[in-house]
Amino acid sequence: MLKVNDISRSFGDHRVLDGVSFDVEPGRMTGFLGANGAGKTTTMRIMLGVLKSDSGTVTWNGEPVTQAVRQRFGYMPEERGLYPKMKVADQIAWLGRLHGLSSAKAASNTERLLEELDLIERANDKLEALSLGNQQRAQVAAALVHDPELLILDEPFSGLDPIAVDTVLRVLRQRAADGVPVLFSSHQLSVVEQLCDDLVIISGGAIKASGGKDELRRRYGTPRYEVVVGSDAGWLRDMPGVRVTTMEGPRAIIEPTGADGFRGGDEPLDQRVLKEAMSRGEVRAFTPIVPTLNEIFKEAI
């Protein structure tokens, strides 16, 4: 496990990080979310030793992160860092050798990754001849070539079309399934929502929320139900404890007005609403609405 504990960092009088703490657990995909300037990249660079923190610690499996340990990490920076005049396969294999792989192992890993990322037909092309999306895939391969024990990816989906996003998602999910902790930042909340197990939300250099995706859904966002009945649902406006936020004939979206939500009291509010709906006729749907990641993000910050 990678553990970030109470790290802070200032540039001059500007405090960029303020007591940042969170964990990246084995076999888990952790989405690192925040607006531009929130502190994501600075945090990642401190985790990798590119920057030093003013205070706090970063540990890997309970031990300080040394240069030898960092050699076993995989990092993809937001800025593309590959050589445009070098052939794709050659430079990925070369990076593998820099991480200590033998020439044969580096070549084997490179071929496997280019196959997984649908780049094998471009293996002998110079990087500059590739589209921006394919350059991004090559950057992902460069982060993975040495079979890292931890992956830290800064905006890995930037510039990718939907098909390429699915390809990269598949590769990253497989690494997580193999037990690798994966931390990635992205502005594409829909991608984060389908990929991540855990979330870390940062704003103004401070962590605003962290935990499992399902846990945060329970913690943030107003509980709501979609109710679809056989006739007009206007009677819901007169239901005690209920606020109607959307009404379209037989369909309504409701939320509780009280602090106890739908589940408080001797008879939970949602059950009272359902009973009332059934007493009035056909009930076609009575479905809880799960808060979206966008809603969680807005409420947390």
Side-chain angles (χ1 to χ4, degrees):
M1 177 193 294
L2 185 81
K3 183 176 284 290
V4 177
N5 183 41
D6 200 28
I7 62 172
S8 295
R9 171 73 197 216
S10 297
F11 294 105
D13 295 330
H14 180 47
R15 197 164 182 82
V16 177
L17 299 179
D18 189 8
V20 168
S21 297
F22 61 90
D23 300 335
V24 186
E25 298 186 17
R28 307 276 291 180
M29 302 284 295
T30 301
F32 194 23
L33 304 181
N36 288 334
K40 301 188 302 295
T41 298
T42 299
T43 302
M44 289 180 166
R45 288 174 175 171
I46 288 173
M47 294 162 72
L48 291 154
V50 178
L51 289 173
K52 288 186 177 181
S53 62
D54 297 330
S55 60
T57 59
V58 178
T59 59
W60 172 246
N61 294 332
E63 300 294 331
V65 178
T66 63
Q67 184 55 42
V69 171
R70 292 187 189 101
Q71 188 79 354
R72 306 197 300 271
F73 294 171
Y75 175 51
M76 178 181 163
E78 184 176 7
E79 310 84 7
R80 293 184 177 88
L82 301 181
Y83 298 103
K85 301 291 184 182
M86 197 171 180
K87 291 181 180 179
V88 173
D90 288 349
Q91 67 177 308
I92 293 172
W94 174 69
L95 289 169
R97 294 194 299 273
L98 285 182
H99 279 278
L101 300 184
S102 67
S103 294
K105 181 65 172 172
S108 173
N109 282 8
T110 296
E111 183 175 4
R112 170 174 54 83
L113 280 165
L114 293 181
E115 286 277 10
E116 290 179 1
L117 291 163
D118 295 336
L119 277 178
I120 195 66
E121 294 182 359
R122 311 303 300 271
N124 293 314
D125 292 348
K126 292 181 180 179
L127 187 78
E128 64 183 3
L130 272 58
S131 67
L132 292 179
N134 280 340
Q135 289 183 31
Q136 191 79 341
R137 291 198 227 191
Q139 192 88 46
V140 172
L144 293 169
V145 66
H146 56 295
D147 294 324
E149 297 176 9
L150 166 74
L151 270 173
I152 299 175
L153 311 170
D154 199 352
E155 293 290 345
F157 308 106
S158 177
L160 298 182
D161 61 41
I163 293 175
V165 167
D166 287 343
T167 299
V168 173
L169 287 179
R170 184 179 68 246
V171 171
L172 296 182
R173 281 197 184 104
Q174 184 57 57
R175 296 312 183 275
D178 292 339
V180 176
V182 180
L183 176 74
F184 67 98
S185 69
S186 178
H187 287 96
Q188 295 168 261
L189 296 184
S190 61
V191 173
V192 178
E193 189 147 27
Q194 65 174 301
L195 180 60
C196 72
D197 304 300
D198 301 320
L199 286 170
V200 177
I201 298 174
I202 187 171
S203 179
I207 301 299
K208 301 300 183 180
S210 65
K213 182 170 60 177
D214 293 337
E215 172 197 344
L216 292 181
R217 278 178 169 154
R218 290 190 295 270
R219 192 189 312 168
Y220 294 95
T222 302
R224 292 174 295 165
Y225 271 89
E226 179 186 40
V227 182
V228 183
V229 293
S231 57
D232 188 81
W235 56 269
L236 280 165
R237 293 193 177 97
D238 299 321
M239 188 80 190
V242 167
R243 177 185 298 112
V244 176
T245 61
T246 300
M247 178 70 71
E248 298 171 349
R251 176 183 176 273
I253 294 177
I254 61 172
E255 61 185 44
T257 58
D260 290 337
F262 281 112
R263 303 304 296 169
D266 295 334
E267 183 181 24
L269 176 61
D270 56 359
Q271 296 305 303
R272 285 191 277 127
V273 174
L274 179 57
K275 284 182 181 179
E276 180 66 22
M278 293 175 68
S279 73
R280 290 172 176 269
E282 182 183 9
V283 178
R284 296 176 180 172
F286 191 78
T287 310
I289 298 175
V290 177
T292 65
L293 186 51
N294 189 50
E295 290 171 322
I296 295 172
F297 181 78
K298 287 180 178 178
E299 185 163 340
I301 62 172

